[in-house]
Amino acid sequence: MKKLVLSVIICLVLVSLIGCAAPAAPAAPEPTATKAKKTYADMTLCYPQLGAESDWRTANSASIKETAQQLGIKKLVFSDAQQKPENQISAIRSCIQQGVDVIALPPVVEDGWDAVLTEAKNAGIPVIIVDRSVSADPSLYAAHIGSNMKLEGERAAAEMNRLLPNGGKILEISGTTGSGAAVGRAEGFRAKLNSNIQIIDTQTGNFTRAEAKPVMEAFLNKYGTDIQGLFIHNDDMAIGAIEALKAAGVKPGDIKIVSVDGTRGGFQAMIDGWIQADVECNPLLGPQVFELALKLMNGEPVEREILTNETVYYPENAAELLPSRKY
Ligand code: GZL
């Protein structure tokens, strides 16, 4: 009996010793350090600007540069392609080589981007399409920020319908051939134009004053001044066309002009009676571009399509609004 009690005591002692000596539970894993969020100070953004063809473009470039400075980003890689797609493509390839964080591309034309956007994707660099659209596969870019160009065209048609209730013959001076802005505006305009208004001719002025003036001179030589209206795809070209109209003895209001952008130059042309309606197209996209770029750097979800809210401006309050215009 004593032996049994002794054995039990020995077992209990051994169990308690083993229990104490049991290997310690594995230490709780160190909490994985949450990945530090990127900030604007970490950002290198590539902006291969398409050109400097218009006041709109100048304001767009200023918005990008000023926002970059205000946010204190690490580096803005900015270039001017002088409205040549091949220059934009070269600039993008240079940015890929530099290993930028994000590419924000304002494409001069819709087509021809698939190859270089694929190169950016393969390099792991997200792309934001800014302003005009591209025909490339949507999987090749993260989002588009810009205007609804077709809606701008539709709004212009509504104004021309209002200005020419009895119809008439009009001419169109369009933007850069193949650009999303020119394609969309022309399509939207024709979709909503009344059937009693006939577009008797259209020519591109490439969004510049210098190229639109000779186009208007040629129109006047061919059709005389027996035209009732003009649809012009941006204010810079409208100002160039107005120079030709003045030289031909046309007076403000003789021909109804509907333009696009809403620049200071467009507002002044409304005040002077030349333009009867100016469809807004907002170039001040800098804040939206950088906000979206930072989300992409941090792998956060983003909207695929961010459209700018726009309106139509009229001569009636152009003088009142001009001082507050930012572009
Ligand atoms: C439109 C923009 C156009 C402007 C022009 O979003 O791309 O290009 O309407 C500019 O003034 O040149």
Side-chain angles (χ1 to χ4, degrees):
M1 183 58 174
K2 282 182 182 179
K3 280 185 182 177
L4 178 59
V5 172
L6 183 59
S7 308
V8 169
I9 290 167
I10 290 168
C11 284
L12 288 173
V13 168
L14 283 174
V15 167
S16 64
L17 286 174
I18 290 168
C20 294
E30 283 294 316
T32 49
T34 50
K35 192 176 173 188
K37 279 188 76 169
K38 299 279 189 182
T39 68
Y40 286 117
D42 302 313
M43 182 187 290
T44 298
L45 182 131
C46 172
Y47 200 79
Q49 180 60 286
L50 68 83
E53 75 284 356
S54 62
D55 290 350
W56 190 100
R57 188 66 48 196
T58 302
N60 177 252
S61 296
S63 177
I64 293 295
K65 291 176 180 175
E66 288 165 10
T67 306
Q69 189 171 23
Q70 288 158 8
L71 295 174
I73 74 164
K74 184 177 179 182
K75 186 177 180 184
L76 173 65
V77 183
F78 184 94
S79 54
D80 173 350
Q82 296 175 332
Q83 291 185 285
K84 295 182 175 67
E86 61 272 21
N87 290 353
Q88 281 194 297
I89 290 169
S90 298
I92 293 168
R93 287 192 167 125
S94 170
C95 284
I96 293 171
Q97 287 299 320
Q98 293 177 54
V100 301
D101 296 300
V102 181
I103 295 168
L105 167 65
V108 59
V109 292
E110 287 187 307
D111 300 332
W113 304 101
D114 293 73
V116 75
L117 292 180
T118 301
E119 291 166 31
K121 184 169 187 176
N122 292 342
I125 301 174
V127 176
I128 302 168
I129 302 299
V130 180
D131 176 27
R132 303 175 188 176
S133 54
V134 294
S135 60
D137 186 314
S139 67
L140 294 176
Y141 56 89
H144 169 254
I145 298 178
S147 304
N148 181 334
M149 309 295 184
K150 187 168 180 241
L151 177 59
E152 292 173 349
E154 293 171 355
R155 286 175 170 160
E159 297 306 321
M160 193 62 82
N161 295 338
R162 173 182 63 83
L163 291 162
L164 300 176
N166 300 318
K169 294 179 291 185
I170 70 171
L171 294 162
E172 177 186 48
I173 301 179
S174 61
T176 301
T177 303
S179 68
V183 170
R185 287 169 189 169
E187 182 185 337
F189 187 74
R190 285 158 176 77
K192 298 292 184 184
L193 194 65
N194 286 344
S195 58
N196 62 355
I197 299 175
Q198 184 192 3
I199 304 172
I200 59 173
D201 205 341
T202 181
Q203 289 292 329
T204 181
N206 201 26
F207 284 129
T208 72
R209 299 184 191 191
E211 293 168 90
K213 183 178 178 184
V215 167
M216 191 68 234
E217 287 165 347
F219 277 159
L220 288 164
N221 289 336
K222 186 171 182 181
Y223 303 104
T225 55
D226 180 25
I227 47 175
Q228 285 68 53
L230 279 173
F231 172 44
I232 305 179
H233 288 195
N234 84 330
D235 292 337
D236 289 74
M237 293 194 295
I239 291 163
I242 289 164
E243 288 172 13
L245 292 169
K246 284 178 182 173
V250 177
K251 295 289 180 280
D254 288 353
I255 295 174
K256 305 305 180 190
I257 300 176
V258 177
S259 184
V260 186
D261 279 351
T263 62
R264 290 192 188 94
F267 270 70
Q268 190 56 56
M270 285 195 281
I271 293 167
D272 297 341
W274 285 104
I275 291 177
Q276 280 68 46
D278 204 344
V279 177
E280 180 186 17
C281 181
N282 189 336
L284 307 180
L285 303 175
Q288 288 173 291
V289 167
F290 284 99
E291 179 185 5
L292 188 56
L294 188 61
K295 286 183 179 176
L296 291 170
M297 284 178 69
N298 284 309
E300 295 170 6
V302 299
E303 287 179 70
R304 286 283 310 173
E305 185 70 54
I306 301 169
L307 292 176
T308 39
N309 295 322
E310 296 168 341
T311 185
V312 181
Y313 296 110
Y314 302 97
E316 290 73 14
N317 61 353
E320 173 198 344
L321 293 176
L322 179 57
S324 64
R325 297 297 298 162
K326 293 178 183 169
Y327 65 94

